[in-house]
Every structure is written in C-alpha cells, then in structure tokens.
Amino acid sequence: MCKKSEAFVEMSVELIFIQLGKKQAQIRYSALQLVEELFSRSHKFRQLIAEEFPQFLQLTIGIHQKSLPPPSNVASKLKEYAVALVKTWYEKYGESYRPLAIGYDYLISSGEANFEGSSLRDIRSRDTQRSQQDVRLKAINERRFQNIETQVADLKDDIQENLKNMESCFEILVPRFEAEQAMDEEKAAAVESSKAPSRGDTYKDDIISHGLGSSRYTIEIDLSEGNVMEDIKESEDNEILFEKLRESYKIMTTKHLTKINEWLKNLVKIEYTDPTAKDDLLKTIISLKDEIRDATRKSTLLGIDTQVENANKQANSDDEDDEDIDALFEEVEVPVLDEPSTSVASDKPSAVIKSKKLTPVQRVFPLAHEPHMAEDATYTSPLQAQIERTGRIRESSPSGNKGKQKADLQREELLKVAPVVEWGEDLYYWDKQDVQFNQSGLGRFLRLIMNRMSTCLLIKICHISIEYHHRFLGDGEGENKLSDETLQALKMRAVYYNPQWPEKIKACRAPLRSGSLCPRRDLVTCPFHGPIIPRDEIGRPVDPKTKLPIVDLGEQETAKVEEEKAKAVFSAVKAAEPALWEQLENDVMRQQGLTPIESTKRGQKRKKEKAPSALIDVKKKADTRLSRLQRRLDDPRMKRIVEETMDHERSMKLRDKKANSWRGI
Amino acid sequence: MNSALLAREHGIERPQSLRRAEMTKRMYELELSQFKEVARGHHAPINWIEIDRVEKKYLLSAGADSQIHIYDIEEPVHTKLWKIPSIARVEKKNRQKFGVSSVAWYPFDTGMFISSSFDNTVNVWDTNTMTPACTFDLEEKVFSQAISPIAHHSLVAGASADPRVRLCDLRSGAFTHSLTGHNGSVMAVQWSTRYEHMLVTGGTDCTIRVWDIRKAAACIMSLDQYNTEDADPLSSTNQAHNRPINGLAFSSDGLYLISLGMDEKIRLWDAYTGQNTLVNYGPHLRNRSRTTIKPLIVDNGIWPPLIFIPSDDHQVLAFDMLDGRLVKRLRGSYGRVTSVDKRPGREELYSASKDQEILVWEAPRKDSELIDRRPEAELDAWSSDEDEQDEGY
C-alpha cells in the first residue's frame, strides 16, 4: 500500500505516531516493529521519521524525563529494542539523515541509552530462539503423547487378557449360588426402581415393595467375605488355578500397575493441543486401573497377595517394589463412588450384602438399633436395652397376680409402642401437676421472730425475706408452688449436641497451577477452590455417576451407564438454561397472559464481555495493602456496623449522663 | 532563477533584487546541514552563542559548565561532512566559578570578547591567550551583557539580578553609569543598532526601558504594550509584557525591536516611537524558563524579514517579522533552545540548546554533483514481491 504513493507513507507515519503515543508499552512495541519494517524500505518514511526523531525517541526510549508507559517489563524491552534499532539505523543511514546522527549523539552524551551489549541481532535471535523453543516443546509434548498412546494401545490388550484370566479363575474358584444370584438381581431391580426418577411414590410404597411391612424389623442376609473365603482353600485340586492367579497377579502389580501409574503421571503433565484426545486416553487408562484394582481386591480376598509376597520373600526379591506399588495405589485413589451394594453383588459373587435396609436418609423414622442412631444423643439404644431388660426382670419376678399380669400384658403392648428415653429430670416432672417447694418452715420461724423483736435491722431482713420468698430466711405469703411456666420448662429436656468429626477428611484435589492437586483437607469448602466435590485423577470435577468404569460390565450395567450418560447430557443442557426462578417467573407470567420478562441484566452482561486481549491491562490498579484496606473500609456493611457502634456508644453516654444528673431534679 | 539572471543581464531588474530573491529563498529553505556539524565541546547546557561580525567565521559559545569555546566555522573546501572543531577554550584555572550566561565579541576586533557569568562578574577576555583581561564585579549574578556594535564609547551594559543596569567602561576598567528605574532583576539588555547612546533593557518587572545614556535622567521611555494615548512615556503603569521579559533583539537597521516575554508572547516594537506594532505571532512560542534567551532578526538582504525565536519545546520558530506568520519550525534539537545566531553574509544559522549541542542549519545545496552522488541509503528499497502484488492490482 505504502509503495503506491508518498501520501500513503505520510499517512502511515501519522498513524504510527498515534499508536506510538498510546500509553501502553505493548502497543508501542508493535508500532516500533512496524516502523522498523517501513524504515528499511522507504526513503520518504525515513525522512519523516527523521524529522520527528526527537519525538520518536521520546516515545520509544523515554528521553526528556518522559518515562515509558506501563507495563514495566514490556517498557524495558521496548527501550532495549529501540536503542538497538537506533544504533543500526545510525550505522546505516546516519550520514544521509542528520537528525539520526544528532539523536544518536544525544543519546550517547546524555547517557540515556546504553548502546553496548544490545544489538538488534541479539534481540532478533533471542526472539527467534524463544519461538523455536516453544515449537520444540510443543513437538516434544506431541511425541510423548503419541508415545503413550501407542503404549496404551499395545498393552491394553495384554492387561485385559490378564484380567480376563484372573476373572475366569475367580469364577471357577468361588462358588456361585444360583438362587442367591437371582435374589440379588431382583433386589437390584427393586433398588433401581426406588432410585428411578419417579419420586411420586411414598417411602412406604418403597418399603412394601422391598417386602418390609414395618420399619422396625429387618432381614439380614449375611454373606460376609470371610466365610466365603474360608470355604475356599488351596488344595491339590485347584493348585493350578492358584498358581495361575498368582502369576497373573504378580504381572499385574509389578508391570501393569506401574506402567499405568507412569502413564497417568506423564499425561497429567503434558499439555496437549487436543484436550479431547487427551481426555479419552486418560479415561481408558483410568478405567483400566479401576479394573486392576478390582482384581487386586479379589485376589487379596483369596489371599493371593500375601502368598505372592511370601513367595517374593522367599525368592529374595525386594519387597520395596511391592510396597511402592501399594503406596502408589493409595496415593492415586480415585474417588470411589458409592454404588448400591446390591447391584455390585449381582456380578461379584464374593461381594457381601450386609443388610437389606434402606439408606437412613430415605426412612421417615430412625430406628433405635441403627448404628448412627446410637451416636445420637437423643436416642441411646444400649440404655434402652438395659431398661427393657430390667423391665422384663421386674415383670418376671412377681408373677402371681393375674390382674397384674393382664395389666402387664397391656403394659407390654404399650411398651412396644412407647419410645424409650433415658431417665432425666424432665421425666421426674413429667406427670406432676403442681410441685411444692420450700416446705422447711424456716420462713415461718422467722416470721415468729419478727413478731417478737422490733429492731429495725430485723424488720428490714424480714421485709426482704417476705418480699423475696427467700429460701433460707423464709418466704412470703402465698403458696410455695412452682408456676406453670416453670413446670413446663422443667419438663423440657436439655439435649447436648456433640458433633462427630469425620475421621478421614477428603482432600480438595482441585488442579493447581503447578500441575499437582490441591492437598487441602477441609470439611465442606476449600477456601481456594470452593465446595469439595468428587474429582477425577487430574482434578476435574466429575459427576459421581458418570465416572463409573464402563468396560466389561453386564448388559444391565451398560444400560444404566447409558441412561446416566443421557442424564449427564441433560444436566449439561440444563446449565445453559435460565435459572429456576426465571423459569418459575416465566410460567407465572404465561399463566397470567403476560409476556415473560426478559432477563436483561444477564443479557447485557453477556454482551459486554469483550474478547480477551493480549494486552496487559494498564489501568487496573495494583492490589496494594492500602487499596485492600480502603476497600474494606468502604464496604457498606462495615460502615453500618461502625455507625451502629457509634450510635450505641452515644446513647450509652447520654444515659450515663442522665443517670448522674439526678441532683438537678 | 534563470529568468531573473536574464533580467539582470538585460538590465530589466536591479541586481539587488535578484540577490535578495535568492537569499530570501535560501533563508526560507533552511534545514539541518548535511555537511556541517559542530563538535560537542560543552558538558552542560549552552547558554549563548555569538558569531563575530569582523571575520565572520568565529563562533563563541558559553556553557553552564563555565566553559567558553571558540569554533572556526569556515569550512574547508570539498568535504563531505565536516565536524567543526573547537579551536580554543578556557583553561580550567581561568574559568569562572559559575556558568557563563552570555558572551559577545568585541565588535571591531576578534582579539577580545566579553562574557557575563552567574558568579556576579562581567569578564573581558583576551582571545589569544584565553585569559581574562579585566573583571567587573556587579555584586549580583549577571544574566546578560551587551556592547554596542556601532558606538565609539565601548561601554558594556550588564543586566543582573540587581535592578540597576551597570555600564562598564572597557577603557578605564570601571563602572561609568548605574541606570536606575527597574524594580526587579534585569534579564535582557541590547544596544540600539542605530543610535549609539540608546540602550534597551527588559526585566522581571515586566517593563522594557529605553535609556539615553547621555542624559542625567537616563530613562527616556518605558514601553507600553497597549499604546495608551497621551500617556506619560515613563508611567509606572506601562508594561511591555504581562510576565518577565527575557529576550530582546534589534533589527539590523535599528528600527524594530522584538521582545520575548514569559507570557509566551513576542512583541514587535517600533524602536523610534516606542509603539507596539501589534503584530500577532500566534500562540506558538513556549517560553517559561527564567533565563535570558537570544532571538534573532534577519533582515539584511532578505525580504520579508524573518525573526528566529528559540522556543522551550526544542524548536526554533521562524516568523515573518512584519505579518507574524509562522514560516518554519526548525526541529532537531533535544533540549530547550537558548540562543540562535546567523553567520553574517551566509544563509547559515546556528542554534544552541540545553542538550549541549550546537546545530547548524543551512539552505540545501543543489549542486548537480551532489545529486549524482546521492547516497544509496536514500533510495527506496521496497521488496520485490510487493512489486508484483502492486502490478496485480
């Protein structure tokens, strides 16, 4: 463009000077780059720049006590660049353009610029080096990523085969009861139905569907792992199987697990251009890991790991490796999501169904024998048991009277229904209508004395005693009964809440800038990363449902997963929808035949969001101590508090003054 | 130019008119000299420069580093870029204690020059030995001095922080006059170029006073910017500027006087009547520093006459003296310009500034030879691929 006419050159110089005048070092830097290009091309441009050379130097190097604009790091870069540029210009064009020479002389004599050490070539090479380094890093990352990808592809089949072997071994070893399995499946179905979104049913329906008419008794099916495992002992028959298991277990723990951990570690570090590919890879690796863990658990139950360890010890192989693996295993614990135990049981024969109860949350009344109720202060079951026992003893000992027996029967029935409460003061007052107090008669005695004596002092004392119904000195007229309110109050029970601290607090695990995960352990909210939510290996928040391992589950399970996936998608869509209150408002407006109100505030906000700029915000004030303090002081809440305190103080002072100025009245 | 030459040849035009036309043209075309530069001699702001009127080739410069340099500005033949060297300077032991505020050649001989310094003295120097020959102690710091270019009396007027203007007689080495009338420091002083007894001073009391040194009541006039009619020429209400005056210059015929005030105004006075000519030079001047500056009127042989005013914004402003039009801005300095001087007989201007540099301005030379050896650096160097692109359009 500039080549066409000198007018364009003039125009460009004008525009460049406008850009150079901006109070932002980055803009000036880019403008300077433009100047450099044009300067080497056009004579006219050189002339014009030379004419304005003092101003040019002032804007780029900062002569005449004019400092360069912020940000400071770019400003220093700009200055260095400009100085180098002036130097090269001087060498090349100094003779034909006098102002350049004069400017150069001035810079040297005034000492405003240091011409040694910085040459244009240096800066250039530095820039190119940096960009090259970036490119190289990117390439390396890509290579590493692909490396891992191929490794995963290679080893995935191995691992899965190994796992399948183990699984088949397990299946042979562990007996499966058809009936039990059937029951399990049925239960699973039941639980699912209760979990299904049709929340219209009451809990009672649920309970009935579970075959539980009442909430007060339960069916316990105890299939503890222990006794299953006790049944299975290593014998000559299944020796081969055990051998095979041990072998594959060893491979799994020593080779595959370390490999997987390594992959995970590297993958988290690598910044890959395509995040979805990375995510996919991560997912497959994590699911593999989960499977391995499952297998490990099973083999632990069968006692294979100890055997392996023993074998290791015998073979003088180092245990540290194993420990290491264990430690690693602990460290990268993927948040285990609580699946309904029954559904797990359906495909895991060794799994245990401890009790077929609804979770505590779903029940209307907590039951006494429930473990967590035992900790509740208002409901102590051991005591109840004790009381029951004593009651029974009492019942059994005087067993002569028939009427009493009848009453006892009635009582027994009532007792069944009655809640059991710990003995306390409130129970003492439970059935009392009116309670007398201070029947000692000391007051009367005092009154007698008062009648006899007539000293002022005593009169005074008696006066007090009569007035205040003193406990020791006597009481006034009237009945010594507790008032109704007091009685009511006494019937109340004081319950002390003793909070239970969870023994193990989960880490926050939000991804930090350093690449690691947030190690903070807070109860509910991490002060830096908000509420603590389940996160995956690399710290991304996960919907607890979707994070289930997807590979090799039964059909039922896959269907479930799919459903959950759909749910996840739906929730994602929902996030984009307006908030609940807006929906409600819209409904109301529609019913009234009015047009729904546009949420303008949100819309405006969205519009105002500018594209992110590469420029550093210069106007942004630095967050200094002073500004923070100022913000705190300007906070309207703080102001109000201060005002209130001042008011209170003033009123207190006024009151004191009034109280002290009694003499004037 | 050729037609003018022909006209002169045939006697249609007077020879002077051609000369004047050429000189005017060249004067209006001043630009930074491609062939001359003055070597950096001072290590402090340069306060004053002056070129002698006798040999027209010696440049005196006075710096705030109390250094005085003499440059020989006569260029040798056939040089490409000539760096004018300093041919003489004051030895350290002879230097004044503070900066030199102004210098002036003795008008009739280059063997002597006069300087004023902030160490309260006016010194007379022997050029050959560069030693002070005579010292006048004015008891206050001296802002400037002036010696009459035409007079026989060889009196040096010293303008100092003292309200009195002292006249130092070079013959006797003593003060002859103390001119009283100002109410503050006197910043600028100039002798008339027409009347040898007429002296003009300007001070911080915003007045310009005209003195006749022969009279006992020496002050004959105080210039009034409003030209009040029937007013007392010595009225105490007369003011030349609204702020202190720090620059004065006479035209070469002594008919006009220009004054610079710190109100950033330039005023042109009729030196004979003392009337303000009311020429409006516009708002271009920047003049806020309380130091004496040296403007210049160039009217010898050019028409319309030009005035060159040093400005605080690193420029020399060239105005048409009579209609106040801004003709040119001479940009190139990196500091406040303090003084300008023209080499007599040549279209060469020298400007001194606070960036320790003396810049040479001259009319561009249009030798055919020069155009031939136009340096390669001045050629355009557009990239070739852009050529193709342009052709594509």
Side-chain angles (χ1 to χ4, degrees), chain A residues 3 41 43 46 64 98 109, chain B residues 334 377-381 387:
Chain A
K3 195 179 170 259
R41 306 276 162 93
H43 167 60
R46 283 192 289 263
H64 298 140
R98 275 287 294 148
S109 67
Chain B
Y334 285 86
E378 286 182 25
L379 298 175
D380 280 2
D387 280 328

Side-chain angles (χ1 to χ4, degrees), chain A residues 172-308:
Chain A
I172 297 167
L173 275 175
V174 182
R176 243 182 216 250
F177 301 109
E178 290 296 312
E180 185 191 287
Q181 213 170 347
M183 211 169 101
D184 284 346
E185 270 161 21
E186 190 184 288
K187 277 169 196 163
V191 169
E192 241 172 77
S193 75
S194 72
K195 278 176 69 71
S198 58
R199 282 272 169 209
D201 319 17
T202 57
Y203 288 112
K204 207 177 166 190
D205 289 345
D206 278 348
I207 291 162
I208 287 164
S209 76
H210 287 204
L212 304 173
S214 163
S215 60
R216 228 172 295 123
Y217 61 91
T218 55
I219 302 167
E220 288 206 15
I221 303 166
D222 191 14
L223 270 176
S224 77
E225 284 171 344
N227 38 20
V228 173
M229 291 313 128
E230 275 162 22
D231 296 344
I232 304 154
K233 285 274 155 57
E234 191 174 353
S235 64
E236 284 170 16
D237 305 338
N238 52 18
E239 199 178 352
I240 304 160
L241 281 175
F242 266 86
E243 275 300 315
K244 198 165 167 50
L245 264 181
R246 240 167 267 152
E247 198 178 299
S248 37
Y249 179 78
K250 202 175 168 191
I251 291 172
M252 190 180 72
T253 46
T254 51
K255 259 173 78 182
H256 296 162
L257 200 59
T258 43
K259 204 81 189 166
I260 282 177
N261 282 330
E262 200 178 299
W263 288 339
L264 277 177
K265 229 192 266 171
N266 287 341
L267 257 189
V268 171
K269 272 183 209 160
I270 291 172
E271 276 190 20
Y272 193 55
T273 41
D274 187 5
T276 54
K278 189 180 165 183
D279 284 1
D280 285 348
L281 194 58
L282 258 178
K283 251 179 214 162
T284 50
I285 292 173
I286 289 168
S287 68
L288 270 179
K289 197 176 169 181
D290 279 358
E291 275 175 61
I292 285 182
R293 202 181 13 198
D294 202 17
T296 329
R297 196 177 62 85
K298 284 178 195 171
S299 34
T300 336
L301 287 176
L302 282 176
I304 283 163
D305 57 337
T306 50
Q307 286 162 11
V308 169

Side-chain angles (χ1 to χ4, degrees), chain A residues 305-503:
Chain A
D305 57 337
T306 50
Q307 286 162 11
V308 169
E309 268 172 38
N310 289 342
N312 278 354
K313 269 177 196 166
Q314 279 165 7
N316 268 341
S317 67
D318 48 348
D319 289 357
E320 281 174 36
D321 242 22
D322 254 13
E323 277 164 27
D324 256 5
I325 290 156
D326 283 352
L328 274 171
F329 211 82
E330 289 284 317
E331 194 181 70
V332 276
E333 152 203 355
V334 175
V336 182
L337 320 148
D338 35 345
E339 315 161 38
S341 58
T342 47
S343 64
V344 174
S346 64
D347 67 311
K348 289 174 192 165
S350 57
V352 183
I353 309 165
K354 268 220 156 170
S355 62
K356 186 66 202 73
K357 278 176 230 151
L358 286 169
T359 50
V361 197
Q362 279 176 307
R363 232 176 283 113
V364 183
F365 293 107
L367 293 175
H369 43 66
E370 247 174 36
H372 82 273
M373 287 310 290
E375 290 148 21
D376 201 327
T378 56
Y379 209 96
T380 39
S381 54
L383 273 165
Q384 179 203 20
Q386 221 177 343
I387 288 161
E388 265 181 326
R389 215 182 303 129
T390 49
R392 235 168 264 149
I393 291 163
R394 223 181 292 146
E395 275 166 38
S396 58
S397 55
S399 58
N401 210 323
K402 254 192 180 179
K404 214 177 186 179
Q405 258 184 348
K406 203 177 177 183
D408 276 351
L409 270 175
Q410 208 179 346
R411 187 182 140 86
E412 209 163 302
E413 254 169 48
L414 278 172
L415 267 175
K416 270 180 196 166
V417 191
V420 186
V421 187
E422 194 187 351
W423 173 257
E425 187 101 305
D426 55 331
L427 286 189
Y428 173 77
Y429 288 111
W430 190 254
D431 51 349
K432 302 281 193 299
Q433 286 304 318
D434 41 23
V435 181
Q436 295 245 329
F437 67 95
N438 197 7
Q439 292 142 328
S440 63
L442 183 69
R444 258 170 277 148
F445 169 71
L446 266 174
R447 229 176 289 146
L448 261 173
I449 293 170
M450 192 189 68
N451 287 341
R452 302 261 169 86
M453 313 285 276
S454 54
T455 47
C456 290
L457 186 77
L458 261 179
I459 285 172
K460 238 177 201 170
I461 291 169
C462 294
H463 186 68
I464 289 163
S465 73
I466 287 159
E467 264 197 16
Y468 293 100
H469 300 261
H470 198 280
R471 197 168 158 195
F472 299 118
L473 300 178
D475 43 14
E477 301 292 330
E479 289 172 39
N480 291 347
K481 278 178 189 169
L482 286 177
S483 64
D484 282 349
E485 293 102 73
T486 328
L487 210 55
Q488 282 295 326
L490 279 171
K491 280 175 188 173
M492 299 285 194
R493 161 162 287 207
V495 175
Y496 299 98
Y497 172 72
N498 58 330
Q500 291 289 316
W501 301 104
E503 282 181 5

Side-chain angles (χ1 to χ4, degrees), chain A residues 63-184:
Chain A
I63 55 171
H64 298 140
Q65 283 90 45
K66 295 267 188 343
S67 55
L68 292 175
S72 55
N73 56 338
V74 187
S76 61
K77 240 171 81 185
L78 170 70
K79 184 173 175 177
E80 199 184 352
Y81 181 39
V83 165
L85 207 57
V86 168
K87 195 181 177 189
T88 43
W89 285 349
Y90 172 72
E91 281 158 7
K92 201 172 174 191
Y93 305 105
E95 287 195 2
S96 22
Y97 301 94
R98 275 287 294 148
L100 292 187
I102 292 168
Y104 184 73
D105 272 359
Y106 171 76
L107 286 179
I108 285 179
S109 67
S110 65
E112 299 218 35
N114 179 24
F115 281 98
E116 282 142 33
S118 63
S119 75
L120 202 59
R121 210 176 301 129
D122 284 354
I123 292 171
R124 273 291 157 55
S125 62
R126 214 181 304 151
D127 279 359
T128 47
Q129 254 180 19
R130 202 171 300 139
S131 61
Q132 273 173 0
Q133 201 179 356
D134 281 357
V135 169
R136 229 179 302 137
L137 250 174
K138 213 174 173 186
I140 287 171
N141 271 345
E142 197 141 323
R143 208 162 345 117
R144 273 162 81 190
F145 181 78
Q146 267 153 12
N147 204 2
I148 289 175
E149 213 169 17
T150 49
Q151 272 185 15
V152 169
D154 287 350
L155 264 179
K156 195 182 169 187
D157 292 340
D158 269 10
I159 294 169
Q160 270 174 354
E161 207 183 303
N162 193 7
L163 281 171
K164 215 183 255 173
N165 280 341
M166 285 179 88
E167 189 68 24
S168 53
C169 286
F170 287 138
E171 264 173 38
I172 297 167
L173 275 175
V174 182
R176 243 182 216 250
F177 301 109
E178 290 296 312
E180 185 191 287
Q181 213 170 347
M183 211 169 101
D184 284 346

Side-chain angles (χ1 to χ4, degrees), chain A residues 1-4 6 9 38 40-44 46 51-54 57-58 63-64 92-93 95-106 109-110, chain B residues 32-38 40 80-81 83 314 331-335 355-360 374-383 386-387 390 393:
Chain A
M1 274 292 275
C2 291
K3 195 179 170 259
K4 280 187 189 166
E6 299 213 323
V9 177
L38 287 170
S40 62
R41 306 276 162 93
S42 164
H43 167 60
K44 179 75 182 171
R46 283 192 289 263
E51 243 169 62
E52 300 283 344
F53 209 57
L57 288 184
Q58 183 183 311
I63 55 171
H64 298 140
K92 201 172 174 191
Y93 305 105
E95 287 195 2
S96 22
Y97 301 94
R98 275 287 294 148
L100 292 187
I102 292 168
Y104 184 73
D105 272 359
Y106 171 76
S109 67
S110 65
Chain B
L32 267 177
S33 171
Q34 294 283 344
F35 305 94
K36 276 185 185 178
E37 62 177 326
V38 179
R40 191 178 289 264
K80 205 178 173 198
L81 174 68
K83 202 160 199 169
H314 314 161
R331 273 182 293 199
S333 175
Y334 285 86
D355 65 342
Q356 315 161 11
E357 187 118 33
I358 300 170
L359 297 182
V360 190
R374 186 178 170 187
E376 209 177 297
E378 286 182 25
L379 298 175
D380 280 2
W382 295 107
S383 51
E386 270 180 46
D387 280 328
D390 278 359
Y393 287 135

Side-chain angles (χ1 to χ4, degrees), chain B residues 13 120 128 141 157 168 173 223 231 269 362:
Chain B
E13 289 228 36
N120 307 350
N128 293 316
K141 60 178 180 179
C168 321
L223 301 185
W269 308 88
E362 61 179 1

